Amino acid sequence: ISKAEVVKRVGSGIEEYLRTHNHRAFLNQFPVRAFPVKGNPFVEDLESRFPSNALRITGSADAKWTPEDLYKQFRRYGRIMDITGSGNDFRVIYRFTQAAAAARNCLHRAEIGGHPAVIDFTDSTLVSFMQDQLKNNWRLFLPAIAALVFGLGYFIFDPMRIKFVSNHLGGGVGARYAKAYQEDDDSFFLSRLANRSVSHVVSNVASLYSWTRQTWFQKRPRTSSLWAFRQNE
């Protein structure tokens, strides 16, 4: 048995094992997959290059590829959204960046139709649009982004603020005084406090405090706190 046959069998076994056992890496939504490397991967750590879901495939001057040729080679790595270009210059757009990274690592410098293909990441449509707007229309684009961020923050945090204020002035006050006046069975002020809105609760706090001093503490001996008074009972 030849070396190439052994490598092919081992690779097929690894692919089948990962496909049937569905292993997942930490913080990764996709299952782990393995593909044979057909080309010569370009391993780099350039700081200005970032992975994207779009690949640019270029070949020699006499390369005459068709979208069908590229589809047969690139489809196995993930779902493809679009293939554009002609001749020896094409652009393959995947749905996910992980698929594009796998295709680049496995097919870079591999022969497609008898011609080696040079594969590199290219900016996606959204990234290209953002960069173009920042470069050409930054005086209008940056204020729009700032307004969008502040608007989202307002719609997210303002309801939370209203909820906290309502609980503090409405639910918190009502729950505390409902427990304190449970023995007196006097629900007049509690019902008013629960049925009024937040704006009315603020105005009722002063009258509730005045009523408490006139009714509660005249009947009971004064203590430093309601808790101490209930303990003494």
Side-chain angles (χ1 to χ4, degrees), residues 152-187:
L152 291 177
Y154 174 79
F155 285 109
I156 292 174
F157 293 105
D158 190 66
M160 297 173 60
R161 179 185 63 83
I162 295 176
K163 181 66 175 178
F164 291 151
V165 173
S166 302
N167 291 338
H168 180 71
L169 297 179
V173 174
R176 183 170 69 252
Y177 283 101
K179 184 177 181 180
Y181 299 130
Q182 185 176 4
E183 296 180 359
D184 285 356
D185 194 20
D186 191 346
S187 60

Side-chain angles (χ1 to χ4, degrees), residues 9-213:
R9 290 185 180 181
V10 172
S12 300
I14 295 174
E15 290 184 52
E16 183 66 22
Y17 175 82
L18 293 176
R19 184 164 48 250
T20 55
H21 288 74
N22 198 23
H23 289 282
R24 292 182 180 273
F26 182 66
L27 295 179
N28 190 359
Q29 60 176 331
F30 301 101
V32 177
R33 293 290 184 264
F35 303 100
V37 178
K38 299 180 180 181
N40 185 16
F42 176 36
V43 181
E44 43 82 13
D45 59 349
L46 301 176
E47 296 183 357
S48 61
R49 293 188 181 182
F50 299 94
S52 67
N53 65 328
L55 296 176
R56 183 183 180 186
I57 299 95
T58 57
S60 56
D62 56 344
K64 300 298 180 181
W65 295 324
T66 62
E68 290 80 3
D69 297 334
L70 298 181
Y71 182 85
K72 294 177 182 179
Q73 297 293 330
F74 286 86
R75 177 61 182 87
R76 64 177 304 180
Y77 303 101
R79 185 176 297 276
I80 297 176
M81 298 179 61
D82 193 14
I83 298 177
T84 59
S86 61
N88 63 340
D89 191 356
F90 276 85
R91 194 165 180 258
V92 177
I93 303 175
Y94 282 94
R95 184 176 182 182
F96 299 106
T97 304
Q98 291 84 347
R104 180 178 182 268
N105 292 334
C106 296
L107 294 179
H108 184 71
R109 295 291 181 182
E111 289 190 358
I112 300 177
H115 303 278
V118 178
I119 305 174
D120 199 1
F121 292 111
T122 183
D123 295 334
S124 60
T125 304
L126 180 60
V127 175
S128 301
F129 173 77
M130 298 282 286
Q131 290 179 350
D132 181 70
Q133 294 298 320
L134 286 174
K135 291 179 181 178
N136 301 327
N137 302 316
W138 62 271
R139 292 184 178 180
L140 297 177
F141 192 68
L142 287 181
I145 291 295
L148 179 62
V149 171
F150 284 113
L152 291 177
Y154 174 79
F155 285 109
I156 292 174
F157 293 105
D158 190 66
M160 297 173 60
R161 179 185 63 83
I162 295 176
K163 181 66 175 178
F164 291 151
V165 173
S166 302
N167 291 338
H168 180 71
L169 297 179
V173 174
R176 183 170 69 252
Y177 283 101
K179 184 177 181 180
Y181 299 130
Q182 185 176 4
E183 296 180 359
D184 285 356
D185 194 20
D186 191 346
S187 60
F188 175 71
F189 285 93
L190 298 179
S191 60
R192 291 187 60 186
L193 188 63
N195 295 329
R196 292 298 184 90
S197 60
V198 177
S199 59
H200 293 85
V201 170
V202 177
S203 62
N204 288 335
V205 171
S207 60
L208 182 61
Y209 177 75
S210 177
W211 176 83
T212 302
R213 294 185 58 88

